[in-house]
Amino acid sequence: MAEHNAAPAAYAKPLPRITPDNRPFWEAARRHELHLPHCADCARAFWPPGPVCPWCFEENLSWRALSGRGVISSWVLFHRAWFPSFAGDIPYAVVQVELEEGPRLTSGTLNLPHDRLAVGLPVEVAFDDVTPAITLPKFRARRN
Amino acid sequence: MPARERRAALRDRTAIVGVGASVFGRGLPQSQLQLGLRAFKAALDDAGLRREDVDGLAINLGWPLGTDYDRVAETFGLDIRYANQTWTHGRFVTLALQHAALAVHAGLAECVACLTACSFTQEKDLLGGPHDIEGMREEGGTHGENPVYGQTSPSGGAALAFSRYMARYGATGDQLAAVPMALRRHAALNPAAIMREPLTLEAYRASRWVIQPLRIYDYCLVSDGACCVLVTSVERARDLAQRPVLLSGMQGIRSGRGEFIFGPPGLGINQQPESARTPLAADLGVYEMAGIDRAAVDAFYTYDAFSPLVLFALERFGFCGPGEAAAWVQGGRIGPGGELPVNTSGGLLSEAHVSGWNSIVELVRQLRGACGPRQVSDAHVMQWGTPWGDSVLFHN
């Protein structure tokens, strides 16, 4: 269980692939902010990131901060460690969160007991600094 | 010519004239090319054709899980003048079959071999985890993978979809169990199936979670095997050894923000809008093109890599309404002798995972009346239709 040693081992789980399309998301996460691409013409946030608004097909885009609030729209519990680096976490939760602004993100949970996992559970973003360069947005239960 | 007339012009113009399969098993020592050769030769023998008669390839095979069309052609000594390649994914079964028919109908080829060959037990590292190259893509893989959060394996997408389906419609794991149990009853009648012993509800309930809400029996076999299907014109088919199985109707794969590969439209996975999505006429062009009503379908075949996909496909083609499939499949309805038998060879859940081509081979044999104890009686019309919305309708 190298991940639980007193001297923390290097982070062994997969890290995001930073691309020109998603770089602002990960830069904002590092600042503990949740940013998504936003279309100025139809005033909506969208996901996944890309060079054009999927609704109006215009390119007047900017990245904007979101509330970070949403509800769990689906959840699963992994009982098998396809990634050896996740073996110590079994069973671990993966959730989809429907954000107040509309888009759904696939994510993980922080301090959220598995017996509270439910579709519709109000959650809010929390940030997990996993390496000096990478912070993962995850979600925890919201205290309304 | 309007699209509707162009579609009608393709109705019953092409046929499957030969089918072949290798042995199916787990841990088989053969390469994909060795398995594929067995299936290809068996299909030629079945049709009464020679290698020289095949001038087209539509292969559902390729990187990262197999060789490409040119390697197949040079290995088998073929002289190919039309090739279509979709890499090894169940989602591309229909595309390969449709391309074969379209190429024949357009005169680009006389006889197209559809070939797939899987050796999943040798390459299971590719099915999730650090070596799953496709699943490690930016913004996640093609089944909703997101490795950063541990969301991996194609089954992760099916689990997310079924978890939401349960919450939305009140479906239960016991209801889902009816799918693998029915397919196991089919497999018990099929000597080629890998898993033939009965599956009880008690055994299902006691089995381990893999990705909750999916248990091990909701998963397809990780197995090895190859299938080949030969498509030619209906004129050429008349001269050959077997009763032709005609391709009467088809519709293409659906894609867009309303779609998630392993969930029905309107479920609300990824960016799908949430709505109760009863299929419209525009979603069911396969029946209109064939001039055949859904009620005439004698058996239904689908991509059953994970048991919820069977429910989603049944709803997608309107056999029942949104959210109703979990109840609809109870009481033996999709099993042997049922109102709508599904995947009568045992499918990917119990026969073997040959990407779905084993179901195409099976329905051809059924429409020839050649399935012995598992023969669907008085079978005339059979449908292949996937959870992602494409389909081919066949009749004899």
Side-chain angles (χ1 to χ4, degrees):
Chain A
M1 304 296 261
E3 290 159 85
H4 299 277
N5 284 348
Y11 186 75
K13 291 173 180 169
L15 290 168
R17 288 183 58 184
I18 311 296
T19 70
D21 287 328
N22 69 23
R23 185 179 302 278
F25 177 88
W26 294 109
E27 288 176 348
R30 200 175 168 195
R31 303 191 303 270
H32 288 205
E33 295 171 16
L34 184 67
H35 284 211
L36 258 58
H38 184 274
C39 172
D41 290 296
C42 55
R44 279 200 279 184
F46 64 88
W47 194 255
V52 66
C53 171
W55 291 291
C56 69
F57 209 48
E58 296 295 335
E59 299 176 40
N60 193 8
L61 308 178
S62 60
W63 286 76
R64 295 197 186 173
L66 275 70
S67 71
R69 291 188 296 271
V71 298
I72 289 178
S73 55
S74 189
W75 62 274
V76 296
L77 275 183
F78 275 72
H79 292 257
R80 176 176 163 179
W82 274 274
F83 289 107
S85 52
F86 276 87
D89 299 346
I90 294 290
Y92 64 89
V94 174
V95 294
Q96 282 202 337
V97 172
E98 185 170 305
L99 299 167
E100 282 182 341
E101 294 83 357
R104 299 191 193 95
L105 299 181
T106 298
S107 189
T109 59
L110 274 181
N111 301 320
L112 180 55
H114 291 168
D115 61 8
R116 294 197 62 192
L117 287 166
V119 172
L121 182 77
V123 291
E124 63 188 5
V125 72
F127 293 92
D128 190 358
D129 299 314
V130 297
T131 76
I134 293 293
T135 295
L136 303 183
K138 295 183 179 177
F139 288 84
R140 64 188 175 202
R142 189 162 19 123
R143 287 192 204 91
N144 295 314
Chain B
M1 195 190 294
R4 184 179 178 137
E5 289 176 33
R6 295 202 302 276
R7 287 196 296 272
L10 182 57
R11 176 194 305 164
D12 295 342
R13 301 313 302 163
T14 59
I16 294 178
V17 293
V19 294
S22 71
V23 65
F24 301 149
R26 289 186 284 196
L28 296 181
Q30 294 97 323
S31 70
Q32 290 164 353
L33 283 171
Q34 288 170 335
L35 294 167
L37 177 67
R38 291 274 73 77
F40 180 54
K41 283 194 166 184
L44 289 172
D45 289 347
D46 183 55
L49 287 168
R50 296 169 306 136
R51 169 179 65 162
E52 291 72 22
D53 296 317
V54 173
D55 60 354
L57 276 179
I59 69 169
N60 192 194
L61 180 66
W63 191 92
L65 280 163
T67 54
D68 293 327
Y69 74 95
D70 48 354
R71 180 74 190 281
V72 171
E74 73 178 345
T75 301
F76 293 176
L78 302 175
D79 181 9
I80 294 302
R81 53 200 64 231
Y82 173 86
N84 171 263
Q85 175 155 7
T86 55
W87 70 100
T88 309
H89 257 300
R91 74 178 68 192
F92 296 138
V93 168
T94 325
L95 277 70
L97 187 59
Q98 291 176 343
H99 275 276
L102 294 170
V104 166
H105 188 65
L108 297 180
E110 274 303 317
C111 181
V112 178
C114 300
L115 181 71
T116 200
C118 304
S119 50
F120 287 121
T121 56
Q122 291 173 28
E123 288 160 36
K124 53 178 176 277
D125 282 358
L126 291 171
L127 305 176
H131 304 291
D132 176 1
I133 300 159
E134 291 189 69
M136 298 293 279
R137 289 175 183 172
E138 51 275 66
E139 311 312 339
T142 52
H143 318 86
E145 291 93 335
N146 196 324
V148 171
Y149 297 104
Q151 173 74 7
T152 187
S153 152
S155 61
L160 271 175
F162 191 63
S163 175
R164 183 164 177 80
Y165 183 92
M166 291 173 84
R168 185 161 163 188
Y169 297 116
T172 66
D174 274 9
Q175 287 180 315
L176 182 63
V179 173
M181 288 165 62
L183 269 60
R184 187 61 64 84
R185 286 196 294 275
H186 287 303
L189 304 171
N190 175 12
I194 295 173
M195 299 293 282
R196 302 184 63 199
E197 65 276 21
L199 174 61
T200 64
L201 182 58
E202 290 66 35
Y204 176 88
R205 285 173 176 161
S207 67
R208 61 185 165 90
W209 298 115
V210 183
I211 305 176
Q212 194 175 339
L214 301 186
R215 296 183 182 276
I216 187 67
Y217 289 117
D218 295 312
Y219 279 66
C220 57
L221 303 173
V222 174
S223 61
D224 311 316
C227 288
C228 182
V229 168
L230 299 175
V231 178
T232 190
S233 66
V234 70
E235 291 80 11
R236 182 90 173 90
R238 289 194 191 105
D239 303 330
L240 298 178
Q242 301 286 350
R243 179 182 189 181
V245 169
L246 302 179
L247 283 72
S248 335
M250 58 174 75
Q251 63 184 51
I253 194 167
R254 300 292 293 268
S255 193
R257 290 180 81 80
E259 296 289 340
F260 172 63
I261 192 77
F262 282 169
L267 181 61
I269 296 293
N270 284 356
Q271 312 310 324
Q272 289 182 308
E274 190 181 2
S275 60
R277 182 76 159 69
T278 299
L280 309 170
D283 301 314
L284 300 171
V286 65
Y287 304 115
E288 179 258 355
M289 175 175 160
I292 292 173
D293 192 74
R294 179 176 55 223
V297 173
D298 296 307
F300 183 72
Y301 294 83
T302 193
Y303 185 76
D304 58 331
F306 313 108
S307 48
L309 305 186
V310 173
L311 306 183
F312 301 157
L314 289 167
E315 293 182 8
R316 178 128 215 175
F317 289 94
F319 289 99
C320 54
E324 295 175 0
W328 197 84
V329 298
Q330 305 303 311
R333 198 175 222 152
I334 64 171
E339 177 185 327
L340 184 72
V342 171
N343 291 2
T344 55
S345 70
L348 277 57
L349 287 167
S350 282
E351 186 189 33
H353 189 327
V354 197
S355 280
W357 288 98
N358 45 322
S359 281
I360 305 291
V361 168
E362 168 74 6
L363 72 86
V364 169
R365 289 174 174 159
Q366 286 280 353
L367 286 170
R368 293 174 181 172
C371 284
R374 69 178 188 282
Q375 179 65 44
V376 175
S377 62
D378 203 24
H380 299 290
V381 176
M382 293 192 172
Q383 182 177 5
W384 165 258
T386 67
W388 43 92
D390 55 23
S391 184
V392 179
L393 202 57
F394 305 84
H395 78 90
N396 55 15

